[in-house]
């Protein structure tokens, strides 16, 4: 008798009926999710599309071309800014990842100790203070140091980037360490490996994906920074985002679209790598 | 036996000392770097806020509370009397208002999105999460510029509407509060979706089934089961959108056109063309104070949630 | 100091724990995992630490391995004190519960790891690894990554890795618990074979009494941080000294009786039905009075309901068939229930029956 009723109820299958019987469904939520995705990607899509437009206008589409990319590559200002950006990001990534790795080793998988919460709070401090505040405070400190020592140079900018890159590099490394099985290191010690060998042969190789992820994040975050760089950077230390900001203020040209697309693409590559590394970490 | 015990005690103590030394050696580079170049500068800002401005930027070492007085009062140029002025309060009020409205906007878009993702099968969730997170890791400046491109008078939205015959002349969005509002939501939407998703993912859908079984309607299920379960995420997401929204610099600079100031612009301006570092420092510290209040609300809420559920 | 006896033989001490206490945490929050434990494990012995979870068996194993340092007491290995040494300076190796194979190394690399750390020459390492692979029948999988192995294969690699440096003692922490029943039976035999072939002392931790009885030369039964009884599987099974041991291992009848007196090392007890019997006494000091005696169901003799001098009579409550025999549940006329195991049921529920409790199977227990 129940069998006879079931097909009858299922008969008007259709999407509407399926949604009505799907207990998880809430009306309007699915369209809103699509609105969210379109909202997030539409502006970027427009920006990228017009970077390939063979026309000075960033409004009307005429023809596909790499013209603005060619011009961007020929632009000395862009080339210099790119070099500066990469120099700063490389140095900041190197130091922040090393420091973050060390800090992560000292803050995970231990019995709670005095000062642990404080250490954790300090490592994450750059995330909790608004960037503009960090920017002016760093500017104040660097001005004092410059006046006292007479030393100038790009080192200050690299240092400022290192500071705010540390918590970003720290996150994936810490997560990886917490996922890591402590008995593996005990097994190594049991098999006659002294502490340094345990680290070199077991901990470090297993931590590598986390460190790679940290490198990716730190690099992207340094590459994308605007506010702190804007205030701290000295003359001749124009990074790519600062160059772009200056150009936007002067007026919109397709060349900016081309440079922006390139920078966007670079970030995308790094972030995608970050996610791919994150995905394979369970194995 | 006594001798054996003492070697054991020695071994244990040596291990403890070694562990402690290794731990602080490992922590030292990160803590020193952030301590000296991240925390210490905040102290300098505090000191600067009680000094007098130098003529060409910087400060002169003269104690003064002018920076804080200036925040509320205007000094008459001729007789030096103080008169209440709401100029700066208005900027803070505007910033808080804009950040708040943007938070609500992000919640309205973000909640259904997070729920939608959480109700997907696990393999699909990762793709959606990736799509939501991806913009967050791309350049904020460029994303804001992209928004600028489409909301301009000659942007795609206005052109589309005109071509469709819906309007005759472009709607001016750029360089208004609306533009800043859109820009803020756009910038920080992922911050809202991710914590919301984190709480909704943990929602046991059997609870939803149980509620339907007990005659609840869809709306009642949403209000009585789903929203309470998502509350930690709602609070976390709101804080994560509100705080950076409050200190935003790029969004008001590009989309507000510099005439509608937010706190971020005000502070940067003092260290730039206005050359009033003490006032800029004071403004920065007041921003920090507002942020701290918001964080405290969050921490209190989070610990209460923790206490209730586990 | 401990005198080292150089005569090789079953009785030489390999591992000695002397009055070992281990407390986790400090002050009021401290938890005592091991409380003043002493035990001696002999050379070339398959020794099992048996007990429920939280009894301290794993803690004792970790103290021998060196993953924890004792709070008090001494641990000796082959006569030398090792309690204070870190794990990498102790010639003992461990097979972990979840194997803890290095996921970034191949099977062969895993097995070679300990030898490399000992600084053995490359040629020797190659030879030993090959022998180990052969020993655990894993030659064909030498270059596999460990996450491509089945549970049983991982188990074999973990064994080979721990045996490769030829430790004085092999510690096994519930290594079979993750395997299914059939595989577990196979590995029990395999472990026994490996122990015979290598001649290494095995210390095996388990909560599975059947596993302990099948494989061990001797068993230490543990509960709440103490060792309750040490003995051969037969000792432990037939003459449990403590109520907990009797209860934990196998099915057993425990009867409350009166101990009249102690006579030539055996206790004279008054059984239900009025007969007196002579029961084995535990090592502890006993006084006449109320005690418990234990007897296994298979040692209870079923007779007819007619009264003999040694017979206690009662009524059959139910008969439970379980394949190889029947468990006959009888309520004795004096009150206590008793279970007898018999190939054939003497009757059905409600029938009268008698039981005899032979002296040689009666054991007085300490609570």
């Amino acid at each position: 008798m129940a069998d006879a009723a079931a097909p009858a109820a299922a008969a008007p299958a259709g999407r509407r009926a399926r949604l009505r019987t799907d207990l998880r469904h809430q009306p309007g939520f699915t369209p809103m999710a699509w609105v969210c995705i379109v909202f997030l990607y539409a502006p970027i899509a427009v920006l990228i599309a017009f970077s390939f437009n063979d026309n000075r206008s960033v409004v009307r589409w005429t023809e596909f071309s790499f013209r603005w990319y060619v011009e961007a590559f020929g632009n000395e200002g862009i080339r210099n800014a790119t070099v500066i950006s990469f120099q700063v990001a490389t140095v900041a990534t190197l130091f922040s990842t090393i420091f973050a790795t060390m800090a992560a080793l000292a803050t995970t998988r231990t019995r709670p100790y005095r000062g642990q919460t404080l250490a954790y709070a300090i490592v994450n401090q750059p995330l909790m203070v608004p960037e503009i505040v960090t920017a002016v405070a760093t500017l104040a400190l660097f001005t004092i140091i410059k006046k006292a020592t007479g030393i100038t140079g790009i080192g200050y900018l690299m240092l400022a980037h290192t500071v705010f890159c540390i918590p970003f590099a720290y996150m994936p490394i810490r997560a990886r360490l917490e996922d890591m099985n402590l008995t593996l290191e005990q097994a190594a010690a049991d098999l006659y490996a002294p502490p340094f060998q345990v680290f070199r042969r077991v901990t470090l190789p297993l931590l590598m994906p986390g460190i790679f992820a940290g490198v990716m994040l730190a690099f992207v975050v340094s590459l994308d920074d605007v506010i702190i760089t804007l205030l701290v950077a000295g003359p001749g230390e124009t990074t790519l985002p600062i160059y772009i900001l200056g150009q936007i203020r002067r007026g919109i040209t397709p060349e900016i679209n081309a440079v922006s697309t390139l920078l966007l693409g670079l970030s995308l590559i790094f972030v995608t790598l970050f996610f791919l590394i994150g995905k394979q970490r369970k194995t | 036996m006594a001798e054996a015990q003492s070697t054991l005690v020695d071994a244990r103590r040596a291990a403890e000392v070694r562990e402690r030394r290794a731990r602080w050696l490992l922590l030292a580079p990160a803590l020193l770097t952030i301590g000296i170049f991240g925390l210490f500068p905040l102290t300098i800002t505090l000191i600067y806020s009680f000094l007098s401005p130098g003529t060409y930027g910087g400060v002169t070492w003269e104690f003064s509370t002018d920076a804080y007085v200036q925040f509320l009062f205007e000094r008459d140029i001729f007789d030096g009397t103080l008169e209440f002025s709401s100029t700066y309060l208005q900027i803070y009020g505007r910033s808080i208002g804009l950040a708040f409205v943007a938070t609500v906007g992000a919640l309205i878009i973000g909640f259904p999105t997070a729920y939608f993702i959480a109700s997907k099968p696990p393999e699909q969730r990762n793709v959606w999460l990736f799509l939501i997170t991806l913009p967050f890791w791309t350049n904020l400046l460029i994303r804001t510029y992209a928004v600028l491109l489409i909301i301009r008078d000659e942007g795609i939205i206005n052109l589309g509407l005109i071509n469709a015959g819906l309007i005759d002349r472009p709607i001016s969005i750029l360089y208004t509060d609306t533009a800043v509002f859109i820009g803020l939501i756009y910038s920080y939407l992922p911050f809202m979706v991710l914590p919301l998703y984190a709480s909704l993912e943990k929602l046991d859908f059997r609870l939803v089934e149980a509620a339907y079984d007990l005659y609840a309607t869809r709306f009642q299920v949403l209000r009585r089961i789903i929203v309470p379960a998502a509350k930690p995420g709602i609070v976390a997401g709101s804080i994560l959108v509100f705080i950076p929204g409050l200190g935003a610099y790029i969004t008001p600079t590009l989309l507000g056109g510099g005439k509608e100031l937010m706190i971020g612009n005000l502070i940067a301006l003092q260290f730039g063309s206005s050359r009033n570092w003490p006032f800029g420092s004071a403004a920065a510290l007041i921003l920090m104070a507002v942020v701290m209040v918001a964080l405290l609300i969050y921490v209190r809420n989070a610990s209460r949630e923790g206490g209730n559920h586990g | 100091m401990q005198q080292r006896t150089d005569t090789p033989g079953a009785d030489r001490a390999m591992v000695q724990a002397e009055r070992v206490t281990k407390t986790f945490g400090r002050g009021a929050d401290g938890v005592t995992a091991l409380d003043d434990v002493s035990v001696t494990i002999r050379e070339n012995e398959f020794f099992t630490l048996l007990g429920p979870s939280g009894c301290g068996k794993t803690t004792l194993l970790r103290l021998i391995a060196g993953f924890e340092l004792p709070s008090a007491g001494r641990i000796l290995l082959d006569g030398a004190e090792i309690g204070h040494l870190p794990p990498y300076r102790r010639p003992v190796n461990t097979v972990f519960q979840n194997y803890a194979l290095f996921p970034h190394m191949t099977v062969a690399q895993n097995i070679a790891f300990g030898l490399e750390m000992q600084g053995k020459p490359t040629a020797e390492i190659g030879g030993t690894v090959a022998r180990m692979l052969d020993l655990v029948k894993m030659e064909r999988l030498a270059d596999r990554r460990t996450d491509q192995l089945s549970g049983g294969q991982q188990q074999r690699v973990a064994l080979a890795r721990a045996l490769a440096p030829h430790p004085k003692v092999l510690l096994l922490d519930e290594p079979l618990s993750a395997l299914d029943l059939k595989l577990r039976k196979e590995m029990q035999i395999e472990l026994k074979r490996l122990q015979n072939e290598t001649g290494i002392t095995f210390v095996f931790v388990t909560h599975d009494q059947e596993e302990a009885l099948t494989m061990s030369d001797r068993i230490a039964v543990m509960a709440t941080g103490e060792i309750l009884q040490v003995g051969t599987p037969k000792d432990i099974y037939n003459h449990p000294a403590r109520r907990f041991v009797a209860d934990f291992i196998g099915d057993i009848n425990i009867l409350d009786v009166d101990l009249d007196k102690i006579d030539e090392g055996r206790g004279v007890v008054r059984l239900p039905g009025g007969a007196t019997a002579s029961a084995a006494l535990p090592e502890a000091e006993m006084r006449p009075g109320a005690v418990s005696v234990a007897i296994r169901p298979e040692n209870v003799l079923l007779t007819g309901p007619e009264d003999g001098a040694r017979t206690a009579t009662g009524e059959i409550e139910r008969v439970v068939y379980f394949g190889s025999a029947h468990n006959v549940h009888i309520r004795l006329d004096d009150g206590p229930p008793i279970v007898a195991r018999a190939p054939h049921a003497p009757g059905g529920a409600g029938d009268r029956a008698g039981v005899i409790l032979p002296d040689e199977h009666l054991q007085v227990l300490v609570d």
Side-chain angles (χ1 to χ4, degrees):
Chain A
M1 37 174 194
D3 292 352
R15 182 179 150 74
R16 198 167 283 276
R18 208 180 64 235
L19 289 181
R20 209 180 303 130
T21 49
D22 179 5
L23 291 179
R24 299 184 171 202
H25 177 73
Q26 285 286 341
F29 276 28
T30 307
M32 196 53 121
W34 286 104
V35 166
C36 180
I37 291 292
V38 171
F39 178 51
L40 284 176
Y41 284 92
I44 297 176
V46 170
L47 173 107
I48 295 172
F50 277 97
S51 75
F52 293 106
N53 188 15
D54 184 34
N55 191 305
R56 192 139 260 296
S57 159
V58 267
V59 180
R60 260 168 244 285
W61 181 265
T62 47
E63 203 183 336
F64 183 89
S65 119
F66 285 110
R67 174 181 162 195
W68 301 110
Y69 288 88
V70 175
E71 287 204 9
F73 280 117
N75 182 326
E76 199 181 342
I78 292 175
R79 282 213 309 266
N80 289 343
T82 309
V83 171
I84 300 271
S85 269
F86 271 80
Q87 281 174 348
V88 173
T90 305
V91 172
T93 300
L94 182 69
F95 284 101
S96 62
T97 310
I98 293 173
F99 293 176
T101 307
M102 293 167 74
L105 285 168
T107 49
T108 47
R109 310 181 303 163
T110 69
R111 272 166 293 167
Y113 54 88
R114 236 180 21 183
Q116 189 181 15
T117 321
L118 183 68
Y120 184 71
I122 292 176
V123 168
N124 285 297
Q125 182 264 350
L127 294 180
M128 302 201 250
V129 177
E131 221 188 327
I132 184 72
V133 177
T134 309
V136 297
T138 311
L139 170 66
L141 175 72
F142 284 175
T143 310
I144 294 175
I145 298 178
K146 278 178 187 165
K147 207 175 275 176
T149 62
I151 301 170
T152 55
I154 201 166
Y156 291 100
L157 190 58
M158 290 167 171
L159 187 54
H161 277 231
T162 304
V163 172
F164 68 73
C165 283
I166 289 175
F168 286 97
Y170 176 77
M171 279 191 293
I173 298 172
R174 181 191 153 94
R176 173 86 191 172
L177 269 172
E178 280 182 342
D179 274 2
M180 219 157 90
N181 193 347
L182 206 59
T183 47
L184 289 176
E185 280 147 302
Q186 284 178 353
D190 186 61
L191 294 162
Y192 314 105
F196 178 71
Q197 290 291 348
V198 174
F199 178 74
R200 199 177 69 87
R201 296 286 306 268
V202 176
T203 316
L204 193 59
L206 291 174
L207 189 54
M208 257 357 251
I211 294 176
F212 270 127
V215 165
M216 300 299 152
L217 279 199
F219 201 88
V220 163
V221 167
S222 167
L223 206 59
D224 286 351
D225 179 71
V226 174
I227 303 179
I228 291 171
T229 312
L230 191 64
L231 275 115
V232 171
E237 296 168 11
T238 306
T239 62
L240 207 45
I242 302 301
Y243 179 86
I244 294 172
L245 180 63
Q247 293 299 310
I248 295 173
R249 280 173 165 167
R250 256 179 251 169
I252 295 158
T253 67
E255 200 180 352
I256 306 173
N257 285 23
V259 180
S260 299
T261 303
L262 286 176
L263 190 50
L264 218 53
L266 211 57
S267 305
L268 283 189
I269 291 169
F270 277 95
V271 177
T272 311
L273 280 177
F274 165 74
F275 274 98
L276 288 180
I277 293 164
K279 264 200 126 147
Q280 58 134 45
R281 75 181 204 200
K282 290 290 163 212
T283 61
Chain B
M1 187 79 192
E3 191 194 327
Q5 282 309 298
S6 79
T7 58
L8 182 59
V9 171
D10 285 349
R12 193 154 350 97
R13 195 169 303 148
E16 264 171 40
V17 168
R18 217 174 319 126
E19 193 186 337
R20 202 174 315 141
R21 194 183 308 147
R23 180 190 293 153
W24 289 110
L25 275 177
L26 285 172
L27 278 172
L31 294 191
L32 287 177
T33 309
I34 295 178
I36 297 172
F37 299 104
L39 275 171
F40 174 62
L42 296 177
T43 326
I44 298 180
T45 330
L46 178 66
I47 297 169
Y48 272 21
S49 73
F50 287 104
L51 297 176
S52 307
T55 325
Y56 306 105
V59 289
T60 51
W61 284 86
E62 257 170 68
F63 177 80
S64 160
T65 54
D66 270 4
Y68 293 94
V69 173
Q70 190 187 353
F71 191 71
L72 289 176
F73 300 96
E74 206 167 2
R75 197 178 290 274
D76 194 299
I77 316 172
F78 298 108
D79 55 13
T81 52
L82 293 174
E83 226 172 291
F84 178 74
S85 154
S86 63
T87 317
Y88 299 122
L89 273 186
Q90 272 176 19
I91 293 177
Y92 274 73
R94 257 176 48 83
S95 299
I96 293 173
L98 269 171
F100 180 77
V101 176
T103 305
V104 174
L107 185 60
I108 290 171
I109 302 176
F111 189 91
T113 309
Y115 181 86
F116 171 78
I117 300 173
S119 62
K120 287 268 147 199
E123 326 81 69
Q124 288 180 34
R125 286 183 203 170
N126 282 334
V127 178
W128 277 90
L129 282 179
F130 180 69
L131 284 177
I132 296 285
T133 343
L134 202 51
F136 165 66
W137 293 113
T138 58
N139 197 305
L140 179 60
L141 172 72
I142 292 172
R143 285 196 294 137
T144 311
Y145 169 62
V147 171
L148 182 149
L149 280 184
I150 65 163
I151 64 173
R152 291 187 314 154
D153 287 1
E154 310 85 39
I156 244 177
I157 292 180
N158 274 319
L159 282 185
L161 289 175
I162 290 171
N163 285 344
L166 290 171
I167 51 172
D168 297 330
R169 69 181 67 165
I171 315 167
S172 291
I173 310 172
L174 194 58
Y175 308 138
T176 64
D177 277 356
T178 313
V180 178
F181 165 73
I182 294 173
L184 288 178
I185 296 186
Y186 184 69
S187 303
Y188 304 118
L189 188 56
F191 284 151
M192 181 61 90
V193 178
L194 292 181
L196 277 174
Y197 168 76
S199 356
L200 284 172
E201 188 211 8
K202 283 188 232 128
L203 173 69
D204 183 351
F205 274 98
R206 283 174 302 182
L207 295 181
V208 173
E209 286 169 14
Y212 282 127
D213 187 51
L214 296 165
Y215 318 110
T217 62
R218 273 195 205 280
F219 180 70
Q220 281 168 327
V221 166
L222 179 65
R223 200 169 61 86
R224 300 279 297 273
I225 308 289
I226 299 170
V227 170
K231 207 182 147 213
I234 294 176
V235 176
S238 301
I239 293 292
L240 286 178
V241 174
F242 183 78
I243 289 181
L246 194 60
Y249 173 81
I250 295 174
T251 316
T253 304
L254 251 56
L255 303 181
K259 61 179 178 180
E260 304 287 352
L261 283 186
M262 280 182 73
I263 304 175
N265 310 100
L266 178 70
I267 297 170
L269 206 57
Q270 303 311 311
F271 283 83
S273 51
S274 293
R275 296 211 177 109
N276 192 340
W277 287 30
F279 181 60
S281 300
L285 287 174
I286 293 166
L287 171 61
M288 279 275 289
V290 179
V291 167
M292 285 302 162
V293 170
L295 274 178
L296 273 181
I297 293 172
Y298 169 61
V299 169
R300 257 190 44 196
N301 227 299
S303 62
R304 210 174 49 224
E305 289 295 327
N308 281 349
H309 300 301
Chain C
M1 285 306 289
Q2 177 70 26
Q3 202 66 38
R4 194 179 148 161
T5 50
D6 275 328
T7 45
D11 284 350
R12 203 178 100 191
M14 181 52 84
V15 181
Q16 286 157 285
E18 290 179 2
R19 311 206 57 179
V20 170
T21 295
K22 177 65 187 176
T23 312
F24 291 103
R26 286 195 183 129
D29 296 334
V31 177
T32 303
L34 282 180
D35 190 5
D36 201 13
V37 164
S38 297
V39 66
T40 299
I41 298 165
R42 298 174 197 143
E43 186 178 16
N44 198 9
E45 172 170 58
F46 197 119
F47 191 89
T48 299
L49 299 169
L50 172 67
S53 65
C55 70
K57 57 188 191 298
T58 296
T59 304
L60 184 53
L61 198 77
R62 293 172 64 82
L63 286 170
I64 299 171
F67 303 135
E68 314 278 355
L69 294 179
S71 307
R74 301 203 305 164
I75 294 169
L76 293 96
L77 180 76
D78 205 6
E81 168 126 26
I82 57 158
H84 58 285
L85 294 177
Y88 54 93
R89 294 230 219 105
R90 301 185 186 203
V92 298
N93 290 135
T94 308
V95 176
F96 292 85
Q97 188 167 8
N98 294 312
Y99 319 135
L101 297 179
F102 304 124
H104 56 300
M105 299 182 195
T106 63
V107 168
Q109 285 169 337
N110 263 280
I111 298 172
F113 188 86
L115 301 162
E116 282 172 32
M117 288 298 125
Q118 284 181 319
K120 294 269 162 61
T122 317
E124 188 190 326
I125 293 176
T128 312
V129 169
R131 260 193 300 113
M132 286 300 140
L133 284 167
D134 181 51
L135 187 69
V136 297
K137 301 173 190 134
M138 290 283 292
E139 309 92 323
R140 289 188 12 232
L141 300 174
D143 296 322
R144 281 282 182 90
R145 278 176 51 128
T146 56
D147 51 9
Q148 299 167 323
L149 301 179
S150 71
Q153 290 168 335
Q154 290 189 21
Q155 169 78 77
R156 288 163 187 276
V157 177
L159 272 165
R161 184 179 72 174
L163 286 170
H166 203 85
K168 288 188 171 171
V169 177
L170 185 74
L171 306 171
L172 303 107
D173 185 8
E174 307 225 15
L176 307 182
S177 62
L179 304 178
D180 61 46
L181 185 66
K182 189 165 169 291
L183 209 50
R184 197 152 69 216
K185 298 273 183 212
E186 279 174 34
M187 282 310 295
Q188 286 177 5
I189 297 164
E190 186 79 10
L191 274 178
K192 205 58 196 165
R193 175 182 73 88
L194 284 173
Q195 201 242 336
N196 284 334
E197 282 180 25
T198 58
I200 291 172
T201 308
F202 277 32
V203 181
F204 186 86
V205 158
T206 185
H207 63 269
D208 183 334
Q209 40 126 344
E210 196 197 319
E211 208 166 271
L213 293 173
T214 350
M215 301 164 71
S216 317
D217 293 324
R218 287 196 304 150
I219 299 171
V221 183
M222 297 184 69
T224 60
E226 285 178 74
I227 291 181
L228 302 180
Q229 189 176 0
V230 181
T232 63
K234 283 204 170 107
D235 278 346
I236 299 273
Y237 187 79
N238 292 325
H239 299 290
R242 303 279 290 264
R243 195 182 181 113
F244 178 89
V245 178
D247 243 353
F248 188 71
I249 295 170
D251 298 329
I252 204 157
N253 294 296
I254 295 174
L255 304 167
D256 295 324
V257 297
D258 283 326
L259 177 63
D260 283 348
K261 60 177 188 212
I262 291 162
D263 186 25
E264 288 175 9
R266 291 186 67 88
V268 178
V269 295
R270 193 174 304 279
L271 295 175
T276 55
S278 160
L281 288 172
E283 277 170 34
E285 192 140 321
M286 300 297 297
R287 295 236 178 95
V291 294
S292 304
V293 293
I295 184 165
R296 299 275 170 200
E298 63 267 31
N299 295 331
V300 175
L301 298 178
L302 276 173
T303 64
E306 65 278 1
D307 275 356
R310 300 277 327 238
T311 309
T313 56
E315 187 176 297
I316 298 177
E317 285 191 317
R318 61 182 182 280
V319 177
V320 181
Y321 175 65
F322 60 92
S324 55
H326 299 78
N327 271 348
V328 185
H329 294 250
I330 299 165
R331 181 162 293 276
L332 296 179
D333 295 334
D334 313 42
I338 194 163
V339 180
R341 190 162 297 167
H344 306 290
D351 291 345
R352 300 282 302 165
V355 294
I356 293 174
L357 311 176
D359 282 0
E360 64 270 31
H361 295 302
L362 280 172
Q363 172 72 37
V364 177
L365 302 175
V366 181
D367 275 337

